Structures are given as C-alpha cells and as structure tokens.
Amino acid sequence: MSIDPIQARPRLSLKDHKSDLINVERRLLLRGGLSLGAVSLLSGCSISDNEGIERALGAISRFNDRVQAVLFSGTRLAPTYTAAEITPDFPFNAYYPESKVRVIDGATWKLALAGRIADKTPWTLDALRTLPQESQITRHICVEGWSAIGQWAGVPFRTFLERIGADTKAAYVGFTCGDDYRSSIDMATALHPQTILALDYAGAPLPPKYGFPVKLRIPTKLGFKNPKHIMAITVTNDHPGGYWEDQGYNWFSGS
Ligand SMILES: Nc1nc2c(c(=O)[nH]1)N[C@H]1C(S)=C(S)[C@@H](COP(=O)(O)O)O[C@H]1N2
Ligand SMILES: [Mo]
C-alpha cells in the first residue's frame, strides 16, 4: 500500500478491480456510510486492491474497538422490559440451521476454565445452580437485522469471575462452544451488572436451541457476541477473536 504524498488520495486502478471495488464500496456504505476515499484518508493507505481494502477496514475496525471501549460505561444499564413485552416464539439463530442444533448432555457436561484464573476446577450445572441467580428481560439484537425481547436467568458473570479467582485486570474473556463457535469480550463488559451466565430461558432450563447448558447473555452487545453451548472460558491478555469476529465483524460490537 502506498499513499500519494502530493494528492493524498488513493491510487485506484479501477481497470483491474472495478467489480471488487463496487462490492467493497457497497460494504463500506452499509457498515458506516464510508466511501473508499474516506477509508484511504482514515487509514493512510492507498486502496488499489482487495487485500489493501481488507487491511484498511481492519485498521478502522480496531480503531472503532478502542473508541467503543472508551465510551462503554461499566454501569449504564441496557433497557429492560415487562413480561408482556416478551417476543412470542423467540427466534433461533446460529451459523447452521435449527435441524443441526447440538444437544449436549447436561449430566456429563463440565465448564472448563483456562488462563488467568486462580481456581480452574471445572463446574457442573448443579454447582452453577448453587450460586446467586439473577433474571432479566432484555432485547437481543442480531446484525442480520432482527431483534427480540426475551427472559434469561443465571449467575451474574462478575460473581462467577470473582468466585473462580479470575484476574479481572486481564483484558479479555474468551469462550469456546460445543458447536465449535467461539467469541470473546472485553473485561469491562464481562463485569457489567447485566452480563449473566444464563442457565434458564423463560423460567426453565435453556432448551438446546437457545444454548443449553449455558450461554453468556450480554444485553450490551450484539447477538453474535452472546455465545451459546459454552464449554470453556479463558481469561487472557491475548486477543482471542471469534467465529464472526475473525471474518471481519467488528470485535467490540456494542449494541
Ligand atoms: N455457540 C453458538 N453461539 C451463538 C451462535 C452460534 O452459531 N453458536 N450464533 C450467535 C448469533 S449470530 C445469534 S443472533 C445468537 C442467537 O441466539 P438465539 O438462538 O437464542 O436467538 O446466538 C449467538 N451465539
Ligand atoms: Mo446474530
């Protein structure tokens, strides 16, 4: 990548990359009303190929993560709703169809712990049920363009992290799931009072489609950052990424 120091605008070789650029231009507009010219100025890159565009977008997305992290309030609450406002037939979503939902055996399941955690003893479902539980009625917002209100209950994640002796000064918490999904969040969001290790949906144990045995419910983040079927939790300073995050979705993705 190079920037033209005199003209300070991208060297576009439209001849070779016209259709790529049209696609990218469309993606930029969808993501944030940016044009190719704006991206090249913001990133200091000349945008002449797809690889360059990906790099420029990555740089902007990481900048955007830092801005969102600074703006995130650890105490400001997401809106809550009444029971009457709960969406009937809450949608299912995953990177596969509902017929492929993983059915995990709750009797043998154990939550594995790794990284910067003092007590890495795995947790059973029964043991999680002995911890304090909280219930919330909040809105789940999916990047695919739908949102729905549901009721989840479980252990406040802060309570859990404190209980296991997690290093709450670490930067990230990463999740790996029973369906090979992965996601990760910043520590401020992990400690937010509405972030819960959810065991129940609508007053009953999570059904498989909503993430049995446990999902992390985070009403301050977009749906894809609410991992279902959690198998392992890692507290770390190394950026863990995630299934959609690694494909270019903005990592912070506050909602
Ligand atoms: N394990 C796992 N968690 C996941 C996903 C997934 O495919 N696998 N999809 C995410 C996305 S994109 C959304 S919108 C929500 C959907 O949750 P729901 O099925 O309870 O509506 O789960 C999120 N968590
Ligand atoms: Mo989603």
Side-chain angles (χ1 to χ4, degrees):
M1 302 259 278
S2 64
I3 191 151
D4 183 326
I6 297 170
Q7 302 208 349
R9 57 192 167 83
R11 291 196 197 102
L12 301 175
S13 44
L14 286 171
K15 236 192 351 247
D16 305 335
H17 305 290
K18 194 160 184 196
S19 64
D20 283 349
L21 288 173
I22 289 167
N23 276 331
V24 166
E25 188 96 64
R26 196 175 297 139
R27 280 169 54 202
L28 288 172
L29 278 168
L30 285 170
R31 283 196 200 191
L34 287 170
S35 67
L36 277 177
V39 168
S40 73
L41 283 176
L42 284 168
S43 63
C45 296
S46 121
I47 292 173
S48 56
D49 54 39
N50 236 337
E51 198 200 321
I53 287 157
E54 287 306 331
R55 239 182 297 143
L57 282 175
I60 289 172
S61 191
R62 285 188 296 280
F63 172 73
N64 192 357
D65 281 343
R66 292 202 297 277
V67 172
Q68 289 183 82
V70 168
L71 294 178
F72 181 76
S73 160
T75 52
R76 190 172 59 227
L77 298 181
T80 58
Y81 300 86
T82 64
E85 292 172 291
I86 291 172
T87 305
D89 239 333
F90 193 89
F92 160 84
N93 197 28
Y95 68 92
Y96 44 80
E98 195 172 336
S99 59
K100 300 262 166 59
V101 167
R102 303 304 190 278
V103 180
I104 291 168
D105 180 1
T108 55
W109 174 88
K110 279 200 176 111
L111 178 60
L113 302 177
R116 306 177 66 86
I117 293 172
D119 183 355
K120 297 198 181 83
T121 313
W123 282 69
T124 62
L125 262 181
D126 287 347
L128 288 174
R129 294 238 175 238
T130 67
L131 296 177
Q133 312 279 310
E134 279 219 16
S135 181
Q136 66 173 249
I137 301 176
T138 50
R139 183 185 293 277
H140 170 119
I141 303 168
C142 174
V143 276
E144 287 172 15
W146 57 271
S147 83
I149 295 170
Q151 178 174 27
W152 295 269
V155 185
F157 198 44
R158 174 193 280 270
T159 305
F160 182 70
L161 290 174
E162 286 168 354
R163 177 64 186 262
I164 62 179
D167 173 8
T168 54
K169 299 271 179 289
Y172 310 109
V173 185
F175 304 87
T176 56
C177 306
D179 56 359
D180 299 322
Y181 192 78
R182 290 180 304 111
S183 189
S184 57
I185 57 172
D186 53 293
M187 187 58 78
T189 299
L191 298 173
H192 184 278
Q194 288 171 311
T195 299
I196 62 174
L197 201 51
L199 303 166
D200 293 334
Y201 181 79
L206 286 171
K209 65 175 177 173
Y210 297 148
F212 184 85
V214 293
K215 82 172 253 174
L216 197 70
R217 174 63 194 138
I218 318 177
T220 56
K221 287 230 188 275
L222 291 177
F224 79 89
K225 299 202 70 85
N226 288 235
K228 307 193 283 189
H229 316 293
I230 299 173
M231 304 301 284
I233 294 178
T234 308
V235 175
T236 177
N237 286 317
D238 303 323
H239 202 294
Y243 181 87
W244 291 115
E245 291 89 335
D246 296 352
Q247 297 177 52
Y249 280 77
N250 173 250
W251 180 78
F252 196 91
S253 281
S255 74

